[in-house]
Amino acid sequence: MSKIWPWVKNPWFETVLEAQRRSKAFLPPSVYAALVAGSERGRTPQDNLDAFAELEFAPHVAGHQPERELSTTILGIPVSMPVMISPTGVQAIRPEGEVAVARAAANRGTIMGLSSFASKPVEEVAAANENTFFQMYWTGTRDAMLQRMERARAAGAKALITTTDWSFSIGRDWGSPAIPERMDFAALYKMAPEGVLRPSWTLTWLKAGLPDLTAPNLKPPSGPAPTFFGAYGEWSQTPPPSWEDLEWLREAWGGPFMVKGITRIDDAKRAVDIGADAISVSNHGGNNLDTTPAAIRCLGPIADAVGDQLEVLLDGGVRRGGDVAKALALGARAVMIGRAYLWGLGANGQTGVENVLDLLRMGLDSALIGLGHKSISELSRDDFHIPEGFERVLGDTGEPAPDSAAEKRRTPRKPAAERPVEKTIQ
């Protein structure tokens, strides 16, 4: 077996790309395709990756610092490095799914982002990582959303993320892979041709007792949890939210609040207007409108416009610690990772996710050494060359904000770290 899978004797991998290779070898082709695919042509996920390489470091050759500080805070939560787990739906590429990811993040001193469409309930995930942020889509009735928020709060969620960048795409040029509604014997039988090729994956699920593949965090107060596609159906039939809806969501939650999915300056300013504490510059990993620019191309202009009014994070294409350094230099407080940790989960479960986080930490530290910095707070645009035309300035009208919006910006909310998370919704 070691000749076929040499990493059985050496489970450590030295790059996220190697984790991806091992995931591809472990997972059935259809499951792997669901992780790697973007919408339509798949141009945006590729640009998310390629854009980082266009930013060229300008390292020093002497005067390097013997000690470097990588820690920071995200929405008032101390983290060991400026990297947190981005919420991704249905992490059941292994039976332990989101719980394994949460434990890995806790062991490496960072935050777990949990999706509404996760395969594990918020109670189990928050128990595995006390610093869990719960992500909500605008789906179902307001009463249902209030119930989900209260459930997340009761479980110990420290912040709420509303994802707004998954609304439009309806297909992929190579076809959307089928995902079984339940991981039962019927599903395994249907996937038998793939399962024969991936016996380790099949055995892993058999040992776990074939748990249901549902969306437990969308379970109503009475009745069973919906299947993933049942939950998707509810979301697709819910009218999309307005900015007023998102402001209601922020007020109903009452604690630290992040809007995920910003690529335009005007949208970033609207997030400020509704009282958001943070935004994530993101194109949903390329699973929204294809040919949307890479998130890193949009980051700098957005951070310049609103970075002094809320925390700006980047989500999209991060595979190396050097990518983290570049995002911070362009104004991000931290980055969120998605596919990178999913590759780690597929490659080696919880240990694989810890492996990915270790690689990012080591890569970020190496960047600080080469640039001669002693802290991530010293990173700036002077640390690399930005080619002409690299950045994308989207939605900058140049027009002043309405009086009401301008007033909100002059009187910002108390910082998230100074506000209590607990609040009973009336």
Side-chain angles (χ1 to χ4, degrees), residues 79-143:
V79 290
S80 65
M81 61 176 172
V83 178
M84 66 168 281
I85 299 297
S86 185
T88 63
V90 193
Q91 295 174 18
I93 54 177
R94 287 182 181 265
E96 60 270 28
E98 292 83 0
V99 172
V101 177
R103 288 174 179 155
N107 288 346
R108 293 302 182 264
T110 195
I111 294 164
M112 171 69 182
L114 178 68
S115 172
S116 293
F117 288 85
S119 63
K120 297 294 183 183
V122 62
E123 292 83 4
E124 290 185 23
V125 174
N129 188 327
E130 64 178 0
N131 292 320
T132 292
F133 290 0
F134 185 66
Q135 175 266 2
M136 279 185 57
Y137 287 98
W138 187 264
T139 176
T141 66
R142 286 196 175 193
D143 285 344

Side-chain angles (χ1 to χ4, degrees), residues 50-406:
D50 294 343
F52 278 104
E54 296 180 28
L55 300 172
E56 300 170 328
F57 281 121
H60 292 285
V61 295
H64 300 149
Q65 302 298 317
E67 296 181 359
R68 279 84 49 199
E69 179 57 64
L70 275 61
S71 64
T72 187
T73 62
I74 303 174
L75 290 177
I77 303 296
V79 290
S80 65
M81 61 176 172
V83 178
M84 66 168 281
I85 299 297
S86 185
T88 63
V90 193
Q91 295 174 18
I93 54 177
R94 287 182 181 265
E96 60 270 28
E98 292 83 0
V99 172
V101 177
R103 288 174 179 155
N107 288 346
R108 293 302 182 264
T110 195
I111 294 164
M112 171 69 182
L114 178 68
S115 172
S116 293
F117 288 85
S119 63
K120 297 294 183 183
V122 62
E123 292 83 4
E124 290 185 23
V125 174
N129 188 327
E130 64 178 0
N131 292 320
T132 292
F133 290 0
F134 185 66
Q135 175 266 2
M136 279 185 57
Y137 287 98
W138 187 264
T139 176
T141 66
R142 286 196 175 193
D143 285 344
M145 285 183 265
L146 287 171
Q147 180 267 328
R148 290 163 192 158
M149 281 189 279
E150 279 300 281
R151 179 181 169 188
R153 190 193 318 282
K158 299 289 180 65
L160 191 74
I161 303 172
T162 181
T163 295
T164 59
D165 60 348
W166 185 38
S167 305
F168 316 115
S169 176
I170 59 172
R172 298 162 173 161
D173 281 5
W174 49 86
S176 297
I179 302 175
E181 291 196 357
R182 299 184 184 280
M183 191 55 68
D184 53 17
F185 282 104
L188 287 181
Y189 178 79
K190 187 175 182 180
M191 298 180 69
E194 296 186 62
V196 170
L197 297 174
R198 301 292 188 268
S200 296
W201 178 85
T202 304
L203 183 61
T204 297
W205 280 96
L206 289 171
K207 286 182 176 180
L210 300 177
D212 286 344
L213 187 59
T214 64
N217 295 310
L218 296 175
K219 180 182 182 298
S222 60
T227 64
F228 174 75
F229 284 107
Y232 181 87
E234 179 191 79
W235 166 80
S236 65
Q237 295 173 41
T238 303
S242 65
W243 281 104
E244 289 73 22
D245 290 328
L246 296 184
E247 185 171 18
W248 171 85
L249 196 66
R250 192 272 300 166
E251 291 175 349
W253 172 251
F257 184 80
M258 179 191 299
V259 178
K260 179 178 179 292
I262 303 290
T263 57
R264 296 170 56 105
I265 292 173
D266 51 358
D267 282 349
K269 290 179 177 179
R270 291 300 299 270
V272 172
D273 295 344
I274 68 168
D277 302 291
I279 58 174
S280 170
V281 178
S282 168
N283 51 42
H284 209 90
N287 278 298
N288 195 13
L289 284 180
D290 193 32
T291 69
T292 298
I296 190 68
R297 298 188 191 277
C298 303
L299 172 63
I302 290 174
D304 291 344
V306 301
D308 60 341
Q309 299 170 84
L310 42 61
E311 295 182 12
V312 178
L313 286 80
L314 174 88
D315 189 345
V318 174
R319 299 291 188 274
R320 299 164 182 83
D323 299 340
V324 181
K326 292 171 182 178
L328 269 57
L330 286 175
R333 186 174 189 86
V335 304
M336 305 170 77
I337 58 170
R339 286 187 179 92
Y341 75 79
L342 291 175
W343 302 140
L345 180 65
N348 198 22
Q350 176 183 330
T351 301
V353 178
E354 293 171 354
N355 193 155
V356 165
L357 291 170
D358 288 342
L359 290 172
L360 294 177
R361 182 180 184 85
M362 290 187 297
L364 176 58
D365 189 55
S366 294
L368 287 185
I369 293 174
L371 296 169
H373 295 319
K374 60 183 178 182
S375 170
I376 56 174
S377 64
E378 297 177 351
L379 289 163
S380 74
R381 291 169 180 254
D382 293 336
D383 291 317
F384 51 88
H385 169 69
I386 305 175
E388 183 177 356
F390 174 82
E391 294 183 317
R392 302 292 187 266
V393 182
L394 306 181
D396 184 13
T397 64
E399 298 179 357
D403 290 342
S404 60

